[in-house]
Amino acid sequence: MIGQTIRDLRKLKKMSQSELAKVVGVSQTTVTAWETGKAEPSSSAISSLADYFNVTTDYLLGRPEKKDDNTKTADIDDDDVIFTYEGRQIPKEDLELIRRIMRGTRNDIK
C-alpha cells in the first residue's frame, strides 16, 4: 500500500523514480522496489518522503485519519468549571439540583 501511495504522489509531482531517489537519498532501484512492494522504506525514508510531499507519515502508511475527539470532561463538583447548556451558563442553584439528582436524593427537590 505504501508503494502505491509513493507512486501516486511521485506521479502527481511529475517526477521520475530517479528524481525522487535523489530527493530521498536512495537509489532508483530502491524507489522501484518500494513502488512494487518488494521492499519497505525505512523510517527515515518515510519521514523524508512525508516532508517532501507535504503529507503525514500516517498518510504514507495508509492509516486512517484520527478523528479529533473534542470530548471534555469535568466533575460537576468542580467550582472552577463553568457549566453551560445551549450556550448559557447553568445557574449554581440548578447545578445543586443536578448534583442531588445524580446522588439519588430527589426527595429534597423543591
Side-chain angles (χ1 to χ4, degrees):
M1 177 176 250
I2 189 170
Q4 185 63 48
T5 304
I6 292 169
R7 182 172 188 253
D8 293 344
L9 290 169
R10 178 180 60 78
K11 288 190 172 231
L12 278 173
K13 287 238 183 204
K14 299 182 182 353
M15 305 178 76
S16 67
Q17 288 181 338
S18 56
E19 289 171 322
L20 180 59
K22 286 178 189 171
V23 168
V24 182
V26 298
S27 69
Q28 184 263 325
T29 53
T30 299
V31 173
T32 301
W34 293 344
E35 291 185 1
T36 59
K38 292 181 178 157
E40 294 282 322
S42 67
S43 59
S44 62
I46 291 171
S47 181
S48 294
L49 289 163
D51 289 343
Y52 180 74
F53 289 120
N54 196 29
V55 295
T56 64
T57 55
D58 280 349
Y59 177 84
L60 283 175
L61 295 169
R63 294 180 180 156
E65 271 191 48
K66 186 175 181 180
K67 300 291 182 204
D68 185 23
D69 187 2
N70 288 331
T71 303
K72 297 177 183 168
T73 63
D75 192 294
I76 198 162
D77 286 326
D78 188 347
D79 292 329
D80 294 332
V81 177
I82 298 172
F83 289 93
T84 62
Y85 180 72
E86 294 181 345
R88 292 181 295 229
Q89 184 174 348
I90 299 173
K92 294 247 184 236
E93 306 81 40
D94 291 349
L95 282 175
E96 183 54 39
L97 176 64
I98 293 168
R99 284 184 190 104
R100 283 188 259 152
I101 291 171
M102 297 301 289
R103 289 183 187 123
T105 55
R106 292 182 60 136
N107 56 355
D108 56 352
I109 297 174
K110 296 177 184 175

